[in-house]
Amino acid sequence: QVRLVESGGGLAQPGGSLRLSCAASGGIISRIYTMGWYRQAPGEERELVAQIRDTSTGDYTNYADSVRGRFTISRDNAENTVALQMNSLKPEDTAVYYCHFNLKQFGSPQNEYWGQGTQVTVSS
Protein backbone atom coordinates (compact mmCIF):
# COMPACT_ATOMS: atom_id res chain seq x y z
CA GLN A 1 0.00 0.00 0.00
CA VAL A 2 1.34 3.43 -0.94
CA ARG A 3 2.13 5.86 1.86
CA LEU A 4 3.02 9.52 1.51
CA VAL A 5 5.57 10.79 3.99
CA GLU A 6 6.06 14.53 4.36
CA SER A 7 9.03 16.42 5.76
CA GLY A 8 9.89 20.05 6.25
CA GLY A 9 7.62 22.73 7.57
CA GLY A 10 7.97 24.50 10.88
CA LEU A 11 8.23 28.13 11.89
CA ALA A 12 9.40 30.96 9.64
CA GLN A 13 9.42 34.72 9.90
CA PRO A 14 7.49 36.84 7.40
CA GLY A 15 9.58 37.12 4.27
CA GLY A 16 11.39 33.90 5.06
CA SER A 17 11.50 30.56 3.28
CA LEU A 18 10.63 26.95 3.95
CA ARG A 19 10.79 23.79 1.86
CA LEU A 20 8.38 20.88 2.05
CA SER A 21 9.05 17.44 0.63
CA CYS A 22 6.84 14.42 0.16
CA ALA A 23 7.87 10.92 -0.84
CA ALA A 24 5.72 8.00 -1.89
CA SER A 25 6.75 4.61 -0.55
CA GLY A 26 5.31 1.12 -0.64
CA GLY A 27 3.48 -0.48 -3.53
CA ILE A 28 4.66 -0.61 -7.13
CA ILE A 29 3.62 2.58 -8.86
CA SER A 30 2.94 2.37 -12.57
CA ARG A 31 2.03 6.01 -13.15
CA ILE A 32 1.60 9.21 -11.16
CA TYR A 33 -1.07 11.45 -12.67
CA THR A 34 -0.85 14.40 -10.31
CA MET A 35 1.35 15.44 -7.40
CA GLY A 36 0.36 18.42 -5.36
CA TRP A 37 0.11 20.35 -2.14
CA TYR A 38 -3.01 21.48 -0.33
CA ARG A 39 -3.31 23.50 2.85
CA GLN A 40 -5.91 24.02 5.51
CA ALA A 41 -5.95 26.88 7.96
CA PRO A 42 -8.04 26.76 11.16
CA GLY A 43 -11.70 27.26 10.38
CA GLU A 44 -11.06 27.18 6.64
CA GLU A 45 -11.61 24.61 3.93
CA ARG A 46 -8.71 22.71 2.44
CA GLU A 47 -7.43 24.48 -0.67
CA LEU A 48 -5.12 23.59 -3.51
CA VAL A 49 -1.76 25.38 -3.30
CA ALA A 50 0.18 23.91 -6.22
CA GLN A 51 -0.02 20.89 -8.48
CA ILE A 52 1.97 19.12 -11.17
CA ARG A 53 -0.02 17.16 -13.69
CA ASP A 54 1.44 14.54 -16.02
CA THR A 55 0.08 15.23 -19.50
CA SER A 56 0.83 13.83 -22.94
CA THR A 57 2.88 16.94 -23.71
CA GLY A 58 4.81 17.02 -20.45
CA ASP A 59 4.30 18.35 -16.95
CA TYR A 60 1.70 21.03 -16.36
CA THR A 61 1.91 23.11 -13.18
CA ASN A 62 -0.70 25.34 -11.64
CA TYR A 63 -0.72 27.49 -8.53
CA ALA A 64 -3.22 29.23 -6.34
CA ASP A 65 -3.29 32.94 -7.09
CA SER A 66 -2.24 33.70 -3.52
CA VAL A 67 1.09 31.85 -3.89
CA ARG A 68 1.97 32.30 -7.56
CA GLY A 69 5.40 33.85 -7.92
CA ARG A 70 6.37 32.94 -4.34
CA PHE A 71 6.01 29.15 -4.26
CA THR A 72 7.56 26.62 -6.64
CA ILE A 73 6.54 23.00 -6.98
CA SER A 74 8.93 20.42 -8.40
CA ARG A 75 9.04 16.67 -8.79
CA ASP A 76 11.62 13.91 -8.96
CA ASN A 77 10.15 11.11 -11.02
CA ALA A 78 12.89 8.63 -10.20
CA GLU A 79 12.30 9.03 -6.47
CA ASN A 80 8.51 9.57 -6.62
CA THR A 81 8.89 12.76 -4.63
CA VAL A 82 7.44 16.22 -4.83
CA ALA A 83 8.74 19.37 -3.19
CA LEU A 84 7.31 22.80 -2.48
CA GLN A 85 9.73 25.69 -2.13
CA MET A 86 8.01 28.51 -0.30
CA ASN A 87 9.62 31.96 -0.43
CA SER A 88 8.49 35.39 0.73
CA LEU A 89 6.26 33.76 3.29
CA LYS A 90 3.36 35.69 4.76
CA PRO A 91 1.41 35.16 7.99
CA GLU A 92 -1.59 34.13 5.89
CA ASP A 93 0.41 31.15 4.61
CA THR A 94 0.09 29.64 8.08
CA ALA A 95 -1.72 26.31 7.75
CA VAL A 96 -1.33 22.57 7.80
CA TYR A 97 0.06 21.50 4.43
CA TYR A 98 -0.84 18.15 2.90
CA CYS A 99 0.73 16.45 -0.08
CA HIS A 100 -1.58 14.63 -2.46
CA PHE A 101 -0.89 12.09 -5.19
CA ASN A 102 -3.25 10.67 -7.76
CA LEU A 103 -1.61 7.51 -9.02
CA LYS A 104 -1.99 3.98 -10.21
CA GLN A 105 -0.27 0.91 -8.85
CA PHE A 106 0.24 -2.22 -10.91
CA GLY A 107 -2.82 -4.43 -10.55
CA SER A 108 -4.90 -1.75 -8.84
CA PRO A 109 -7.20 1.02 -10.05
CA GLN A 110 -6.21 4.67 -10.05
CA ASN A 111 -6.55 6.20 -6.59
CA GLU A 112 -5.63 9.24 -4.56
CA TYR A 113 -3.44 9.41 -1.47
CA TRP A 114 -2.80 12.03 1.20
CA GLY A 115 0.14 12.75 3.43
CA GLN A 116 -0.28 13.13 7.17
CA GLY A 117 0.06 16.90 7.08
CA THR A 118 2.82 19.21 8.27
CA GLN A 119 2.38 22.50 10.12
CA VAL A 120 3.71 25.70 8.61
CA THR A 121 3.61 28.76 10.84
CA VAL A 122 4.68 32.20 9.65
CA SER A 123 5.08 34.63 12.51
CA SER A 124 7.49 37.19 13.86
Side-chain angles (χ1 to χ4, degrees):
Q1 181 69 7
V2 171
R3 288 180 61 240
L4 302 185
V5 180
E6 302 169 4
S7 59
L11 175 65
Q13 292 188 340
S17 298
L18 287 172
R19 183 178 178 86
L20 306 180
S21 294
C22 177
S25 63
I28 302 175
I29 298 171
S30 61
R31 184 178 177 185
I32 300 177
Y33 295 92
T34 65
M35 309 167 85
W37 292 92
Y38 289 71
R39 69 185 181 187
Q40 187 168 19
E44 302 289 333
E45 293 188 355
R46 192 172 296 187
E47 63 173 354
L48 176 66
V49 176
Q51 185 181 71
I52 294 178
R53 187 180 310 148
D54 179 20
T55 73
S56 59
T57 56
D59 284 347
Y60 171 80
T61 59
N62 64 296
Y63 296 90
D65 290 342
S66 58
V67 307
R68 187 175 293 111
R70 300 188 297 121
F71 291 9
T72 302
I73 189 170
S74 59
R75 66 187 288 176
D76 183 329
N77 292 336
E79 300 294 331
N80 290 332
T81 61
V82 65
L84 185 68
Q85 178 66 40
M86 304 184 293
N87 299 328
S88 303
L89 283 163
K90 303 177 180 180
E92 51 263 43
D93 294 319
T94 296
V96 178
Y97 284 69
Y98 299 88
C99 68
H100 174 269
F101 283 26
N102 189 310
L103 59 83
K104 187 180 186 310
Q105 300 181 74
F106 285 105
S108 298
Q110 184 176 343
N111 208 345
E112 58 179 339
Y113 299 84
W114 291 92
Q116 79 280 9
T118 185
Q119 177 69 45
V120 170
T121 302
V122 183
S123 174
S124 56

